[in-house]
Amino acid sequence: MKIGVYVCHCGVNISNTVDVQKVISEVSALPTVAVCRDYQYMCSDPGQEMIAKDIRELGLDRVVVAACSPRMHEPTFRGAVEAAGMNPYCFEMANIREQCSWVHEDKEQATRKAADLVKSSVARAALLEPLNSTEVPVTHAALVIGGGIAGIQTALDIANSGYPVYLVEKDPSIGGHMAQFDKTFPTLDCAACILTPKMVDVARHPNIELLTYSEVESIEGSVGNFHVRIRKKPRYVNVSLCTGCGSCATACRLVGRIPSEFDMGLGKRGAIYVPFPQAVPLRYTIDPEKCLMLKHGKCGTSPKCVDACDRDAIDFSMTEEILEVDVGAIVVATGYKEFDPTIKREYKYGTFKNVMTGLELERIFAPSGPTGGKALINGKVPKKIVFVSCVGSRDKRIGNPYCSRVCCMYIAKQAHLLKEKIPDADITVMYTDMRAFGKGYEEFYERVQKEGIKYRRGNAAEVYEEDGVLHVRAEDTLMGEPYELEADLVVLGTGLEPSDAADAIGHMLHLSRSADKFFLEAHPKLRPVDTVIDGVFLAGAAQGPKDIPDTVAQASGAASHVVNLLSKDVILAEPIVAEVNTDVCAGCRICEILCPYDAHAFDEERNVMTINKAICKGCGSCAAACPSGAIAMNHFRDSQIVAQILEVI
Amino acid sequence: MAETWNPKIVGFLCNWCCYAGADMAGTSRMKYPPNIRIIRVMCSSRINAEMVIKAFQMGADAVFIGGCHPGDCHYVDGNYRTQKRIAVLRRLLEHLGIDPRRLRLEWVSAAEGEKFAQTMDEFAKEVAELGPSPLAALQREVL
């Protein structure tokens, strides 16, 4: 056995706390170690070359690198040793940075620990066995979950590369939150004018199958081969007959009586509706919770929508459908939801109608919105307007310590739009810290200030009413004095939280969340669109609060990773799976019950268990439970783990 | 002996949650005592009673097992199996004369670097209070 050990300094990240030379002298003394070297940056090209050279010249059969976490660079070094002719599974890593030098201060103890960890890796390496990956075919199709701007962009990019895409959206139309906006900062582009053409492209694209009013029910399989069940909710309108003319909506007995979700409850719709006039697909949907016919089985003498539809498109007998599709890659673009400000009781949202959220004001501005784009709040033109920033962001008390990144700028934009519509309005923005970080943002913020919008640092403490007038109490933290402002409109700069759909989707795909509850990327700097689950990617605000340009950039990034994967006919599957030694197996079938993937199949004839390599994910639960020790968990064998235990004690 | 004794803790951490949480503690430069020696496994349910007992037998003062939070297991329900096994194992340890507090199971997510560091802090203190494991003392005598 010839083991090569390489200890990395990681600049000074490791060597500041760990005495690298001492580790080397201890490890060099081990009988299996043929060579032990150190280098400033093992992951760099010269570092990798050092290993390759030793493999070629000294004929090493195992390599141990003591550096950062294997979650960071194990794939890098596996690639390097493989290129030099060694089996990549004969490589082992000792984590002496994240789990040693970065968390300990006592140099002597950290060095002791580092030496123990390296020795344990050497012991394990000596027992590692070469493993060979099996080839798995790739299904050349992708699933995109979420039809907001992130999902739209991802789907279009993948489809334009020639691969089929299933785009699943839970609402009756794609478009997401961006469709609700009036104008976008800082360019003041009309959101609909830049979004709706993309929505139409999605609907028309020959490679995109658009599944609106549908939800992902379950996902099985792994990279290259996911099996997805999608539930299509019944619209009670036959989409191939409906032309979107709208006669049914005007005829509905409940027209103008149901709060419209799209208009944030400020506008009203009927029981049969399209969320907004530019919806894609422009097909009507009946709300089963509200429709008299669906709820009570009776709508006057006969349902008016049926009478109004001259295409006979309405079908109350429609039921949900389950669609099963196979895809090779999945993009999660489930977006965000607006923070619910009723939690911040001091702002009296929900008590006073003229305390509203940013997204609600957005609908007031929209020409297709409840006021037809007129700046009317409860029928009146507001003259004294106060914006409150960081509502639901940077607030540890409610568990959201993060910055939502878009609020500073949408407040600036909304203040500008209000000033444009009501030139004599007195507008004050109560801000925590101004964050105008994007391209053209700082310039826009300056422009808004020049337009006469007042910015005062320090957040609002409370909103209260006196003699029918709202008062906002705050502290100016620059002047160090409390003050009060009268307001006939208070706009809360509500932050972003992960959408409700994220829970179910995250659970189905076993995705991790970061502390802010958004989906966790594989690496915060270098792999921002990947997840730790191979074949599953992230796009848009599902990964963290983002503005539109960042969302679109990430969506295109996710699409390129998908295309990269789908362009291959086969991929290599991890050989880290469990295997049964049928000579030892007693056929007790205990392991069978433990497997969460049903990878175990009992061979009745031979009275032994077998494991399907393609299904096994390598958790090793069965190996731990086997009473006869017949199951070997490749790469995590009992002997390999025990060898590590012996070295660290 | 007593003044130089430093508790030895063997940690078995699942790759997807607790090991990533320990990495997160490092990335965030949180400090904790250097008593633990971490062994990475794909799932906490890979660990069986033999491995834990082996660690005690060889002289570990304590064993730490870290997995994903209930419902978040990368392998669906491996952590539930771990939980059941640990419950049984604790009773077994009592029979062996090992205080079951020396075996700790904790759920730490990939984002919970702070929780990992805090847990290590607490556990190191707790083990220090319990003193050297009786099996570890025996092991030293044999050697």
Side-chain angles (χ1 to χ4, degrees):
Chain A
M1 181 65 58
K2 280 185 175 176
I3 304 179
V5 181
Y6 302 86
V7 185
C8 183
H9 291 239
C10 192
V12 292
N13 280 301
I14 290 169
S15 52
N16 257 357
T17 330
V18 171
D19 182 344
V20 173
Q21 295 313 324
K22 205 168 172 193
V23 172
I24 287 192
S25 65
E26 247 184 73
V27 173
S28 303
L30 297 171
T32 47
V33 174
V35 61
C36 187
R37 303 184 200 274
D38 63 318
Y39 188 64
Q40 285 289 313
Y41 296 101
M42 280 312 302
C43 56
S44 69
D45 200 33
Q48 293 187 38
E49 185 46 37
M50 181 193 281
I51 301 173
K53 196 164 163 261
D54 285 351
I55 293 175
R56 284 192 301 262
E57 293 177 2
L58 304 174
L60 299 178
D61 40 22
R62 300 287 186 274
V63 166
V64 172
V65 170
C68 51
S69 170
R71 291 173 58 88
M72 175 91 186
H73 274 318
E74 191 176 54
T76 312
F77 291 113
R78 273 188 184 166
V81 299
E82 192 177 19
M86 211 183 88
N87 185 288
Y89 294 92
C90 289
F91 168 78
E92 174 62 14
M93 226 170 154
N95 185 344
I96 59 165
R97 191 181 75 171
E98 280 86 343
Q99 296 179 4
C100 188
S101 73
W102 275 352
V103 286
H104 305 314
E105 278 163 332
D106 183 310
K107 205 166 171 176
E108 202 188 312
Q109 292 207 53
T111 306
R112 178 75 258 128
K113 178 171 174 179
D116 282 354
L117 292 175
V118 181
K119 283 198 263 179
S120 132
S121 287
V122 171
R124 172 173 154 78
L127 296 172
L128 287 177
E129 289 174 3
L131 299 173
N132 292 310
S133 309
T134 40
E135 287 191 339
V136 180
V138 176
T139 308
H140 298 287
L143 168 72
V144 177
I145 306 169
I149 180 61
I152 289 173
Q153 186 65 42
T154 312
L156 283 173
D157 283 0
I158 300 170
N160 283 338
S161 306
Y163 297 103
V165 181
Y166 300 97
L167 176 58
V168 178
E169 166 57 50
K170 66 179 187 328
D171 287 340
S173 170
I174 53 169
H177 283 302
M178 188 176 169
Q180 291 178 291
F181 303 161
D182 174 34
K183 291 196 166 74
T184 57
F185 60 78
T187 47
L188 302 174
D189 278 309
C190 135
C193 315
I194 53 178
L195 178 67
T196 51
K198 276 189 187 284
M199 291 162 62
V200 175
D201 288 350
V202 166
R204 283 205 192 128
H205 206 294
N207 284 340
I208 298 179
E209 186 167 339
L210 181 54
L211 300 163
T212 50
Y213 210 46
S214 302
E215 285 175 33
V216 175
E217 187 86 349
S218 69
I219 301 171
E220 281 158 25
S222 55
V223 56
N225 299 283
F226 292 103
H227 185 71
V228 188
R229 281 163 55 90
I230 300 161
R231 187 164 51 90
K232 284 184 83 171
K233 296 177 273 188
R235 280 179 187 261
Y236 303 104
V237 172
N238 185 329
V239 288
S240 49
L241 294 175
C242 175
T243 59
C245 71
S247 314
C248 54
T250 26
C252 178
R253 280 178 215 277
L254 297 177
V255 67
R257 287 169 63 181
I258 301 163
S260 151
E261 297 83 357
F262 185 80
D263 280 333
M264 305 302 293
L266 298 170
K268 300 276 196 291
R269 61 170 171 86
I272 185 164
Y273 69 106
V274 282
F276 55 105
Q278 299 78 27
V280 169
L282 191 59
R283 298 288 181 266
Y284 279 77
T285 304
I286 297 178
D287 182 344
E289 296 297 313
K290 295 289 178 345
C291 171
L292 299 172
M293 198 61 197
L294 286 169
K295 260 199 112 175
H296 309 291
K298 193 166 172 283
C299 175
T301 44
S302 78
K304 283 196 164 187
C305 54
V306 176
D307 300 339
C309 183
D310 50 20
R311 305 263 301 166
D312 290 331
I314 290 154
D315 176 6
F316 289 111
S317 68
M318 213 176 249
T319 50
E320 65 176 37
E321 271 176 68
I322 298 284
L323 211 80
E324 306 208 11
V325 302
D326 290 302
V327 295
I330 296 173
V331 178
V332 177
T334 46
Y336 71 91
K337 72 169 180 210
E338 190 184 31
F339 170 76
D340 174 9
T342 50
I343 297 163
K344 299 283 292 175
R345 295 223 301 262
E346 60 270 36
Y347 296 143
K348 312 286 193 317
Y349 175 80
T351 309
F352 304 121
K353 279 191 168 171
N354 44 350
V355 177
M356 56 170 50
T357 69
L359 205 48
E360 286 170 351
L361 185 62
E362 215 50 62
R363 294 313 299 152
I364 298 284
F365 286 135
S368 61
T371 60
K374 291 196 182 74
L376 291 174
I377 308 299
N378 307 320
K380 277 188 285 192
V381 179
K383 295 287 181 192
K384 293 174 195 160
I385 301 153
V386 173
F387 282 88
V388 179
S389 79
C390 296
V391 179
S393 312
R394 303 183 65 190
D395 188 344
K396 283 185 189 147
R397 280 174 303 170
I398 51 141
N400 288 356
Y402 58 89
C403 166
S404 289
R405 294 182 94 235
V406 294
C407 324
C408 280
M409 288 313 294
Y410 82 60
I411 288 174
K413 173 197 73 181
Q414 291 184 336
H416 162 84
L417 293 176
L418 277 173
K419 193 79 186 167
E420 200 174 62
K421 287 176 199 285
I422 320 161
D424 60 339
D426 182 7
I427 304 175
T428 306
V429 178
M430 295 175 177
Y431 71 101
T432 317
D433 290 297
M434 194 60 202
R435 293 185 172 174
F437 56 87
K439 193 169 180 172
Y441 291 7
E442 181 65 27
E443 295 90 325
F444 184 77
Y445 167 47
E446 204 168 307
R447 167 180 167 185
V448 170
Q449 282 174 293
K450 280 186 187 146
E451 286 167 355
I453 288 150
K454 284 174 272 183
Y455 274 79
R456 290 192 78 168
R457 190 173 185 279
N459 236 330
E462 152 175 57
V463 175
Y464 69 96
E465 190 186 38
E466 205 172 75
D467 307 325
V469 182
L470 285 189
H471 290 254
V472 188
R473 192 176 287 165
E475 186 195 341
D476 187 319
T477 49
L478 291 179
M479 305 292 284
E481 60 185 27
Y483 67 102
E484 272 190 33
L485 289 178
E486 282 186 9
D488 36 27
L489 170 62
V490 176
V491 184
L492 304 178
T494 35
L496 275 50
E497 289 183 338
S499 81
D500 294 332
D503 285 339
I505 300 294
H507 202 72
M508 272 179 227
L509 289 166
H510 306 300
L511 296 179
S512 302
R513 310 276 196 104
S514 38
D516 55 13
K517 307 280 191 320
F518 289 92
F519 287 124
L520 184 68
E521 60 287 329
H523 189 273
K525 299 263 182 283
L526 300 176
R527 295 179 66 197
V529 303
D530 301 311
T531 66
V532 289
I533 314 296
D534 286 342
V536 179
F537 306 94
L538 301 172
Q543 182 251 343
K546 261 181 213 72
D547 55 16
I548 297 166
D550 283 2
T551 294
V552 172
Q554 198 191 17
S556 289
S560 87
H561 283 218
V562 169
V563 169
N564 189 344
L565 175 64
L566 298 187
S567 65
K568 296 174 184 131
D569 287 328
V570 288
I571 47 165
L572 296 175
E574 275 270 8
I576 302 179
V577 291
E579 268 180 88
V580 182
N581 181 345
T582 47
D583 291 342
V584 179
C585 175
C588 71
R589 304 180 75 160
I590 285 176
C591 53
E592 197 179 9
I593 324 156
L594 296 175
C595 183
Y597 305 101
D598 293 333
H600 295 236
F602 192 64
D603 184 337
E604 301 275 358
E605 216 167 279
R606 293 159 63 209
N607 195 39
V608 290
M609 188 59 68
T610 60
I611 297 174
N612 185 334
K613 274 188 189 178
I615 303 174
C616 176
K617 298 261 194 296
C619 66
S621 193
C622 58
C626 179
S628 16
I631 303 179
M633 178 59 231
N634 280 337
H635 212 58
F636 291 93
R637 289 168 175 268
D638 284 14
S639 56
Q640 295 163 347
I641 296 173
V642 170
Q644 282 188 277
I645 299 173
L646 300 186
E647 282 306 321
V648 294
I649 298 171
Chain B
M1 188 68 215
E3 56 271 18
T4 55
W5 176 73
N6 232 334
K8 277 182 184 168
I9 304 173
V10 175
F12 297 105
L13 272 51
C14 89
N15 179 59
W16 306 97
C17 296
C18 196
Y19 193 90
D23 277 355
M24 180 62 86
T27 315
S28 319
R29 311 292 198 278
M30 288 158 180
K31 305 294 175 207
Y32 58 82
N35 303 82
I36 192 164
R37 302 288 184 266
I38 293 167
I39 294 172
R40 178 169 75 134
V41 286
M42 284 295 127
C43 178
S44 59
S45 70
R46 174 69 191 91
I47 301 307
N48 58 21
E50 279 170 74
M51 294 171 189
V52 175
I53 292 170
K54 188 86 191 168
F56 281 117
Q57 211 177 14
M58 294 315 293
D61 295 302
V63 172
F64 176 83
I65 297 178
C68 309
H69 281 274
D72 282 343
C73 177
H74 185 79
Y75 303 102
V76 189
D77 52 9
N79 50 1
Y80 291 111
R81 308 203 185 296
T82 309
Q83 194 172 28
K84 284 184 189 168
R85 284 175 194 160
I86 297 302
V88 176
L89 189 52
R90 280 221 173 87
R91 292 169 59 185
L92 188 65
L93 288 181
E94 259 187 295
H95 285 288
L96 293 174
I98 299 171
D99 192 318
R101 282 177 293 178
R102 294 183 187 274
L103 172 61
R104 181 156 176 174
L105 171 67
E106 203 71 55
W107 311 133
V108 178
S109 81
E112 291 174 329
E114 201 175 340
K115 180 176 178 185
F116 183 80
Q118 269 174 12
T119 308
M120 286 306 109
D121 232 16
E122 273 172 36
F123 196 37
K125 275 186 199 130
E126 200 184 338
V127 178
E129 276 168 29
L130 288 170
S133 152
L135 275 190
L138 206 68
Q139 175 74 11
R140 269 192 292 272
E141 266 172 43
V142 171
L143 291 175

